[in-house]
């Protein structure tokens, strides 16, 4: 049976709180700026597809109409927005594979801050500067979004690795479940900021979030401690933190001058005597290769399961405000505010399911039950009536059963895989494993975004939700071997406990 988690909070210090909050809010700000793009898609589409035709233009010169005319109609603009989502996620996925390897070899604080500040600059250029200067170019947008994906990929492996360095396995499901709400909180913050300034133009939504994100990167650079060793603490395996070993009498007051002279003489005599040399300090952990990390037990099935699940989760992330606005006719600001209920459900789901998995000592059974419920929630939400209250309730339930497992795989389970018993104590793999899991998930999400826009344009939104159900079932299929093994272990532990009683 797993050890009790009830008293695990007593081992944490103010350093844990600072690390928790700094890593939490760094990803909150990143996701808030990322959410801005999905929240202003209707405004961007309207800007790129003027409502008048060239023949009916009554203003002069007529070329003014052509300056920002990228597409002939809204459907073409929607397909390009979906293509931009896929471009971002493909570059993000490629960057994750690389940034995870770099994170295990370079100071995590440098990599994290470079990703935060660099991404903020790119988003400012993409959404604000191009609009101010009236520069509308498809190739420029694609190039900027590729660069944005590469820069943002540096953040997640770093923050998970820092959290894994500070928080041991005891209570990890609850701590990481609560912490992984950072993405959902960022979505809520991004929706709030975007809806607040959208009336002035979508460029101001990009301006606000990019400036806040850049400022957050500066704060993280000067305030984040990436390892307990920086403050004289060591991470005890499977539990928490312990102080670095010191002399037994280190608490005593400073010696007097006479005592100091006596000790100096004794020390000199001892040094002259033939004493055995002290053992050299242990070598720091060495990062393992990408292929070794990929072959670790559990990495491949969880990566493939996350590819299917992140496709669904990020489809809600990128398309939910657009769906609410186009399908129900609600105003864009109303759709932005209503979409936060999906993230509220994800926050609660990740925390509750992480806590349950801590008490069970297993992750996959909790994931499987939640994903089965998610399939029913998706079918129910696809038939939601044109009522904002009912829609919000079903949406929160859908977020609970989809966002919760997604948060668990990307945070707590990635940390488990990166610090599992198959690794020797001299090996470091946390950032690399996190990059592999999230990178594979992002490949699935990237492929899915264009498919979603294609299915919607050809078959409608109902077919999109059926596609989500199939992908959720695929996630269950990939974790089935782990589910069978962990369920068998639970029954064996239960029988052993009964025999003891």
């Amino acid at each position: 049976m797993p050890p009790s988690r009830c008293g695990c909070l007593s081992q944490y210090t103010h350093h844990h709180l600072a690390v928790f909050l700094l890593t939490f809010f760094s990803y909150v700000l990143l996701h808030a700026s990322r959410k801005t793009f999905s929240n202003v898609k209707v405004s961007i589409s309207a800007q790129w597809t003027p409502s008048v035709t060239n023949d009916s233009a009554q203003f002069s010169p007529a070329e003014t109409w052509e300056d920002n005319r990228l597409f002939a109609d809204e459907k073409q603009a929607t397909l390009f927005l979906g293509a931009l989502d896929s471009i971002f996620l493909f570059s993000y996925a490629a960057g994750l594979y690389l940034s995870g390897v770099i994170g295990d070899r370079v100071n995590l604080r440098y990599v994290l801050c470079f990703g935060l500040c660099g991404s903020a600059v790119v988003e400012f250029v993409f959404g604000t500067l191009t609009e101010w200067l009236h520069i509308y170019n498809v190739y420029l947008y694609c190039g900027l979004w590729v660069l944005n994906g590469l820069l943002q990929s540096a953040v997640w492996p770093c923050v998970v690795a820092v959290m894994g360095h500070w928080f041991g396995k005891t209570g990890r499901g609850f701590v990481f479940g609560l912490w992984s709400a950072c993405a959902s909180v960022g979505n809520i913050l991004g929706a709030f900021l975007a809806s607040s300034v959208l009336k002035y133009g979508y460029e101001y939504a990009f301006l606000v979030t990019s400036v806040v994100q850049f400022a957050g990167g500066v704060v993280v650079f000067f305030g984040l401690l990436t390892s307990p060793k920086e403050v004289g603490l060591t991470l005890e395996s499977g539990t928490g933190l312990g102080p670095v070993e010191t002399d037994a009498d280190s608490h005593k007051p400073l010696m007097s001058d006479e005592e100091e002279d006596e000790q100096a003489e004794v020390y000199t005599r001892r040094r002259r005597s033939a004493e055995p040399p002290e053992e050299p300090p242990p070598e720091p952990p060495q990062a393992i290769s990408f292929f070794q990390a990929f072959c670790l037990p559990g990495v491949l099935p969880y990566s493939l399961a996350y590819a299917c699940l992140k496709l669904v989760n990020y489809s809600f992330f990128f398309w939910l405000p657009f769906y609410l606005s186009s399908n129900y006719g609600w105003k864009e600001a109303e759709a932005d505010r209503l979409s936060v209920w999906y993230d509220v459900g994800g926050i609660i789901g990740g925390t509750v399911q992480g806590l349950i998995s801590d008490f069970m000592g297993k992750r996959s059974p909790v994931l499987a039950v939640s994903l089965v419920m998610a399939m029913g929630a998706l079918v129910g939400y696809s038939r939601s009536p044109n009522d904002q209250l009912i829609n919000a309730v079903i949406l929160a339930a859908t977020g609970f059963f989809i966002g919760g497992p997604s948060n668990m795989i990307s945070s707590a389970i990635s940390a488990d895989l990166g610090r599992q018993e198959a690794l020797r104590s001299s090996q470091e793999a946390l950032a690399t494993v996190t990059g592999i899991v999230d990178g594979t998930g992002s490949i699935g999400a990237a492929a899915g975004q264009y498919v979603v826009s294609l299915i919607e344009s050809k078959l409608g939104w109902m077919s999109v939700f059926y596609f989500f159900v199939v992908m959720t079932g695929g996630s269950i299929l990939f974790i089935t071997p782990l589910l069978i093994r962990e369920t068998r272990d639970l029954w064996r532990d239960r029988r052993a406990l009964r025999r003891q009683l």
Side-chain angles (χ1 to χ4, degrees):
M1 294 295 290
S4 176
R5 268 77 177 170
C6 298
C8 65
L9 295 179
S10 62
Q11 65 186 320
Y12 300 140
T13 66
H14 67 281
H15 296 298
H16 292 83
L17 180 61
V19 169
F20 185 99
L21 293 177
L22 283 174
T23 53
F24 183 90
F25 282 106
S26 64
Y27 205 71
V28 164
L29 298 179
L30 186 80
H31 241 262
S33 62
R34 190 185 300 177
K35 181 68 172 175
T36 300
F37 179 66
S38 63
N39 284 339
V40 300
K41 276 183 175 178
V42 174
S43 297
I44 293 177
S45 177
Q47 182 70 11
W48 290 348
T49 55
S51 57
V52 295
T53 62
N54 199 23
D55 294 336
S56 61
Q58 301 297 323
F59 47 82
S60 180
E63 287 76 11
T64 304
W65 179 84
E66 293 286 349
D67 287 343
N68 60 339
R69 179 187 180 275
L70 291 178
F71 306 101
D73 53 45
E74 185 178 343
K75 283 191 174 182
Q76 292 184 13
T78 301
L79 285 174
F80 180 67
L81 290 172
L84 280 179
D85 290 337
S86 295
I87 288 171
F88 170 83
L89 286 173
F90 273 123
S91 60
Y92 182 73
L96 281 168
Y97 289 125
L98 180 63
S99 61
V101 175
I102 295 175
D104 281 332
R105 290 162 173 80
V106 182
N107 190 304
L108 291 169
R109 184 161 52 92
Y110 298 156
V111 181
L112 173 59
C113 296
F114 178 77
L116 282 172
C117 295
S119 171
V121 173
V122 171
E123 288 167 352
F124 170 77
V125 174
F126 176 91
T128 304
L129 194 60
T130 56
E131 180 63 24
W132 284 351
L133 300 179
H134 302 291
I135 300 174
Y136 307 98
N137 186 280
V138 171
Y139 302 105
L140 176 63
Y141 288 138
C142 291
L144 287 173
W145 232 223
V146 168
L147 181 59
N148 189 35
L150 293 173
L151 289 169
Q152 289 202 13
S153 68
V155 177
W156 184 251
C158 293
V159 292
V160 173
V162 171
M163 285 290 293
H165 290 161
W166 279 91
F167 294 88
K169 189 172 183 179
T170 300
R172 180 178 286 162
F174 172 72
V175 172
F176 274 76
L178 184 63
W179 176 83
S180 63
C182 56
S184 298
V185 173
N187 295 342
I188 295 172
L189 178 62
F192 173 77
L193 292 176
S195 61
S196 298
V197 299
L198 193 57
K199 58 185 177 182
Y200 304 108
Y202 73 83
E203 64 271 24
Y204 291 97
F206 282 101
L207 174 64
V208 171
T209 54
S210 60
V211 169
V212 173
Q213 179 182 325
F214 189 91
V218 174
V219 172
V220 168
F221 180 81
F222 289 104
L224 181 65
L225 298 172
T226 60
S227 172
K229 296 178 182 178
E230 296 183 19
V231 289
L233 297 173
T234 57
L235 184 63
E236 297 174 358
S237 177
T239 56
L241 293 178
V244 174
E245 294 182 0
T246 58
D247 295 335
D249 58 352
S250 60
H251 65 283
K252 293 183 178 181
L254 294 175
M255 294 182 295
S256 63
D257 293 339
E258 295 179 358
E259 292 174 330
E260 188 173 353
D261 293 338
E262 292 177 2
Q263 292 293 336
E265 292 178 5
V266 173
Y267 177 73
T268 302
R269 288 195 299 268
R270 287 181 177 176
R271 288 200 59 181
R272 290 174 180 174
S273 62
E275 293 182 351
E278 296 182 358
E279 295 182 1
E283 296 182 359
Q286 299 297 318
I288 69 174
S289 68
F290 178 87
F291 181 75
Q292 288 175 314
F294 196 83
C295 293
L296 288 173
V299 171
L300 180 59
Y302 274 121
S303 297
L304 295 176
Y306 192 50
C308 297
L309 187 57
K310 192 169 185 177
L311 184 155
V312 180
N313 194 42
Y314 262 55
S315 295
F316 274 87
F317 171 79
F318 282 118
W319 290 102
L320 183 56
F322 185 86
Y323 165 74
L324 294 173
S325 180
S326 62
N327 192 61
Y328 295 103
W330 297 332
K331 295 181 180 179
E332 190 173 14
E334 293 178 342
D336 289 344
R337 287 191 291 268
L338 187 63
S339 66
V340 304
W341 288 104
Y342 179 82
D343 299 296
V344 171
I347 293 172
I348 300 173
T351 305
V352 172
Q353 293 170 34
L355 183 61
I356 294 173
S357 69
D358 275 342
F359 279 100
M360 293 180 62
K362 306 294 180 183
R363 311 287 190 201
S364 60
V366 180
L367 289 179
V369 172
S370 181
L371 292 175
V372 170
M373 299 297 292
M375 296 172 71
L378 285 168
V379 174
Y381 187 68
S382 66
R383 291 167 169 78
S384 175
N386 194 347
D387 183 277
Q388 293 191 10
L389 178 60
I390 298 176
N391 192 288
V393 172
I394 304 176
L395 185 59
T398 306
F400 183 94
F401 294 118
I402 294 178
S406 179
N407 291 343
M408 281 185 61
I409 294 177
S410 63
S411 58
I413 291 176
S414 294
D416 290 342
L417 296 173
R419 286 191 174 275
Q420 58 183 287
E421 295 179 358
L423 286 168
R424 296 192 301 270
S425 59
S426 61
Q427 293 180 324
E428 183 65 63
L430 225 170
T432 304
V433 169
T434 303
I436 291 173
V437 174
D438 202 23
T440 307
S442 297
I443 290 177
Q449 299 319 299
Y450 189 76
V451 174
V452 167
S453 62
L454 191 63
I455 293 176
E456 188 277 328
S457 62
K458 301 294 184 181
L459 303 175
W461 284 108
M462 186 63 68
S463 298
V464 172
F465 282 100
Y466 289 141
F467 175 62
F468 291 163
V469 172
V470 172
M471 289 296 101
T472 305
S475 297
I476 300 174
L477 180 64
F478 284 122
I479 66 170
T480 297
L482 300 172
L483 174 64
I484 294 173
R485 186 186 66 193
E486 293 189 355
T487 303
R488 185 173 61 246
D489 292 342
L490 283 173
W491 280 107
R492 186 175 61 247
D493 293 342
R494 186 176 179 181
R495 288 197 299 267
L497 180 61
R498 284 180 176 177
R499 285 195 296 267
Q500 291 177 4
L501 297 176

